[in-house]
Amino acid sequence: MTDYPLTAALMARGTEFLGSRYAILCGAMSWVSERNLVSAISNAGGFGVIACGAMSPELLDAEIAGTKGLTDQPFGVNLITMHPQLFELIEVCARHGVGHVVLAGGIPPKGSVEAIKAFGGKVIVFAPTLALAKKLLRSGADALVIEGMEAGGHIGPVSTSVLAQEFLPELADQFLVFVAGGIGRGEAIAGYLEMGAAGVQLGTRFACASESIAHPDFKKAFFRASARDAVASVQVDARLPVIPVRALRNKGSDLFTAKQREVAGLLDAGGVEMAEAQLQIEHYWAGALRRAVIEGDVENGSLMAGQSVGMVKQEEPAATIIAALMQESEAALARH
């Protein structure tokens, strides 16, 4: 018997796929989604996901081993598709028998989905358009995350509510679709489950969990913020296709605009190739995020946060957050 029968019934496909008690994934947040938070979420019945980000294969190997030491529950690994050592990272996941790999940050390169499926791993992908979603699901992906522009970190141009209305009626009967972006309470989870989602993904709500290693000043910035403080970065040069990033407005936002101008200048002068220019931008974000999360430099670092940040009021254990979300969802469904 479950405490949340209505929610559990709607999440059944998602929980069966993930192997977790609840179909609530934690979005992979670089520097934040490491062994402590990932294991805490999985131990609480959710599905933790390690953010590999720019990690080397050796670092990922240690992080997976460390997470296994803290939980015997299922968890996944998020890999960035443009990582130069992507296939070596997939090998690390294979050695550890990781059950689920999330491919993020672009279209999965040729052979990557097959390499994950070859060792029995399930593949979760992101897709910004319905046509691409159908193509990825037909070509071997096991599940899809649709993430709206309300999310923190790298974002697309369309809101979660619009994506859900467009994708779920077309895909939910046949495929597993998880909804992400701007989810801060269980009532929203109930709504997306009723529309056909197999589960949801939250990042911002978990960033300030007690088990998150984020610096106390990073967490305080979240507690003080309202939804309107989480703004998307601006692209300054059309030739430099920079994916917008949503973060709390601070001096770091201005520094990123300056960084784009600097890289665009190098492009003008022929000092760098386009691929190198884009990699420089990505490295900038990794460094800026580390300054805020690890060092607590909330002025110059990047405070990546979704618009649901206004609902993050205090530090709470991951188990408390998940229980609150499930209770809110159950109450919403019971009112119908």
Side-chain angles (χ1 to χ4, degrees):
M1 263 301 282
T2 169
D3 300 334
Y4 315 108
L6 301 172
T7 307
L10 292 176
M11 279 185 173
R13 289 190 310 150
T15 52
E16 185 187 352
F17 171 71
L18 296 169
S20 55
R21 209 171 340 140
Y22 311 123
I24 297 177
L25 293 111
C26 179
M29 301 170 280
S30 289
W31 305 110
V32 180
S33 301
E34 49 74 74
R35 65 188 71 180
N36 293 287
L37 182 60
V38 170
S39 61
I41 287 166
S42 289
N43 286 335
F47 190 82
V49 178
I50 294 172
C52 175
M55 280 184 198
S56 65
E58 294 74 26
L59 279 174
L60 179 63
D61 183 58
E63 204 52 53
I64 295 171
T67 307
K68 280 180 163 176
L70 296 170
T71 184
D72 58 0
Q73 298 300 306
F75 63 88
V77 173
N78 178 296
L79 302 178
I80 305 297
T81 54
M82 66 166 84
H83 197 297
Q85 294 174 287
L86 177 65
F87 284 89
E88 288 156 68
L89 295 168
I90 290 171
E91 279 175 33
V92 172
C93 293
R95 280 204 305 277
H96 281 284
V98 170
H100 300 71
V101 176
V102 184
L103 292 174
I107 296 169
K110 191 171 168 43
S112 57
V113 171
E114 293 80 0
I116 295 162
K117 295 185 83 85
F119 70 81
K122 298 269 199 292
V123 180
I124 304 172
V125 294
F126 289 81
T129 66
L130 187 56
L132 180 60
K134 286 178 175 173
K135 184 170 183 278
L136 291 173
L137 289 164
R138 282 198 204 102
S139 61
D142 298 290
L144 173 76
V145 177
I146 54 173
E147 184 172 66
M149 65 181 295
E150 301 93 321
H154 291 81
I155 53 168
V158 184
S159 73
T160 307
S161 61
V162 172
L163 289 176
Q165 292 173 78
E166 188 185 356
F167 283 61
L168 292 173
E170 290 269 343
L171 300 175
D173 284 350
Q174 209 179 337
F175 301 105
L176 293 159
V177 183
F178 295 87
V179 177
I183 299 173
R185 288 184 58 90
E187 292 88 349
I189 295 174
Y192 291 127
L193 290 173
E194 286 191 308
M195 289 173 74
V200 292
Q201 176 183 292
L202 292 82
T204 302
R205 191 68 205 274
F206 287 121
C208 296
S210 316
E211 298 90 351
S212 159
I213 62 159
H215 195 282
D217 291 344
F218 180 89
K219 293 182 180 182
K220 278 180 202 151
F222 272 49
F223 303 148
R224 285 194 297 265
S226 69
R228 66 179 58 216
D229 296 321
V231 295
S233 61
V234 179
Q235 182 179 341
V236 299
D237 192 310
R239 293 163 315 141
L240 195 60
V242 176
I243 299 169
V245 166
R246 189 175 297 288
L248 301 181
R249 192 189 284 111
N250 66 354
K251 206 193 294 178
S253 316
D254 303 330
L255 290 172
F256 176 57
T257 305
K259 178 68 182 176
Q260 285 186 75
R261 288 206 182 93
E262 177 200 320
V263 175
L266 286 171
L267 267 178
D268 279 340
V272 289
E273 295 292 317
M274 180 58 80
E276 167 61 24
Q278 286 185 276
L279 213 54
Q280 277 199 29
I281 295 289
E282 278 310 304
H283 283 150
Y284 170 85
W285 278 125
L289 191 58
R290 188 184 192 283
R291 282 201 296 280
V293 174
I294 304 297
E295 295 163 24
D297 183 355
V298 295
E299 274 307 303
N300 304 298
S302 175
L303 297 164
M304 289 190 192
Q307 290 181 323
S308 61
V309 70
M311 295 173 235
V312 180
K313 297 297 183 198
Q314 64 198 35
E315 204 175 39
E316 296 172 296
T320 304
I321 296 169
I322 289 174
L325 293 169
M326 291 298 291
Q327 283 159 11
E328 289 157 2
S329 171
E330 193 67 12
L333 294 170
R335 284 195 293 271
H336 292 190

